[in-house]
Amino acid sequence: MAQRRFSHAIAEGDGISVIAAVEDPDAARAAEEQLAEALVVRGDPAVVRGASSLPILWRADVSLERASTSADAYLLVFDARAEVSFEEASTTGDAVMLVFDSRDGDDGRLEGLHRRAVELGLDCAVEVRDEEELEQALERVDPEIFLLSPVEREDDETPLEVVLEMLAAVPAGKLAIADLQLTNREEVQELERAGCDAVIVHGTEISPLVGGPPPDV
């Protein structure tokens, strides 16, 4: 049965959690030293598992069987992995993520995958790319964790603006993770003020983004 290490890591504490995107053991060790609370790994999570005790969010094209020996959470695009065994994932993993765009209009596949994950005690996050997807995801599966991705933004919008718009539509009591390729302390503080639970940071300088309470509004 999954222990939900990942969701506990980002839900506990008073401030916003920083999740570091890393690719090798040195980056994983550096992220933990700089007080990141979880890792996102592209590639084989076993590469960094021995370097850090932080929960790992797996985001890669290695086999689930190999990743399941070292990752704590799984980001799976289920149109590419339709035969993934949740039973196997639940023995070592803490979460699965369903990409809503890949499961939109799939005749109940999204609901079935979400239901099975919940039955196995897995945290189940849903990645959404706009408010419409978020609303549809709420209607269809009512997930506990949303990953807010700004990849579908318009040319005149910033990634932060898109994430903040989606964040405003996330109901109270849900966990929200912002996925921003580039960010700074001011943006992290703005996300925290708006109620975001965690932000994925793509870069080596983690400590400037981890700190005390956000400034007064």
Side-chain angles (χ1 to χ4, degrees):
M1 180 66 69
Q3 298 177 354
R4 300 188 175 183
R5 277 185 79 215
F6 182 75
S7 63
H8 288 168
I10 66 174
E12 63 186 14
D14 297 328
I16 190 170
S17 297
V18 171
I19 304 169
V22 301
E23 296 182 357
D24 56 54
D26 288 342
R29 281 189 287 266
E32 186 166 9
E33 290 172 357
Q34 294 181 73
L35 303 182
E37 295 182 56
L39 305 174
V40 174
V41 178
R42 289 187 180 276
D44 189 341
V47 172
V48 302
R49 176 72 284 174
S52 173
S53 62
L54 295 176
I56 292 175
L57 192 65
W58 175 58
R59 197 175 200 173
D61 292 326
V62 300
S63 71
L64 179 61
E65 290 76 14
R66 183 167 177 79
S68 67
T69 63
S70 51
D72 297 298
Y74 301 93
L75 290 189
L76 303 179
V77 181
F78 278 94
D79 55 351
R81 290 184 173 85
E83 301 306 320
V84 162
S85 167
F86 277 6
E87 287 79 3
E88 182 172 9
S90 69
T91 63
T92 53
D94 297 298
V96 293
M97 191 191 83
L98 310 179
V99 179
F100 183 85
D101 183 60
S102 70
R103 296 269 59 92
D104 187 18
D106 63 355
D107 298 326
R109 180 71 169 158
L110 176 68
E111 287 82 352
L113 290 169
H114 181 270
R115 181 171 57 254
R116 188 60 185 141
V118 171
E119 289 172 350
L120 291 167
L122 290 161
D123 287 318
C124 192
V126 175
E127 179 188 275
V128 294
R129 302 174 182 183
D130 55 42
E131 291 182 67
E132 182 178 356
E133 285 190 356
L134 192 152
E135 292 172 359
Q136 291 180 30
L138 281 168
E139 292 176 1
R140 293 180 60 181
V141 295
D142 193 24
E144 293 301 316
I145 307 172
F146 283 98
L147 190 142
L148 309 178
S149 171
V151 296
E152 298 295 332
R153 67 184 176 91
E154 301 293 336
D155 292 338
D156 60 346
E157 295 179 305
T158 68
L160 179 63
E161 288 172 340
V162 173
V163 167
L164 288 172
E165 288 175 1
M166 287 190 285
L167 182 61
V170 176
K174 306 294 187 182
L175 294 176
I177 302 170
D179 189 5
L180 298 176
Q181 288 292 317
L182 298 173
T183 192
N184 53 46
R185 181 59 185 159
E186 289 71 27
E187 290 183 338
V188 171
Q189 289 177 329
E190 189 166 355
L191 287 166
E192 186 173 359
R193 284 195 299 267
C196 193
D197 297 285
V199 58
I200 296 176
V201 174
H202 302 260
T204 59
E205 295 299 320
I206 308 299
S207 55
L209 307 179
V210 179
D216 294 336
V217 178

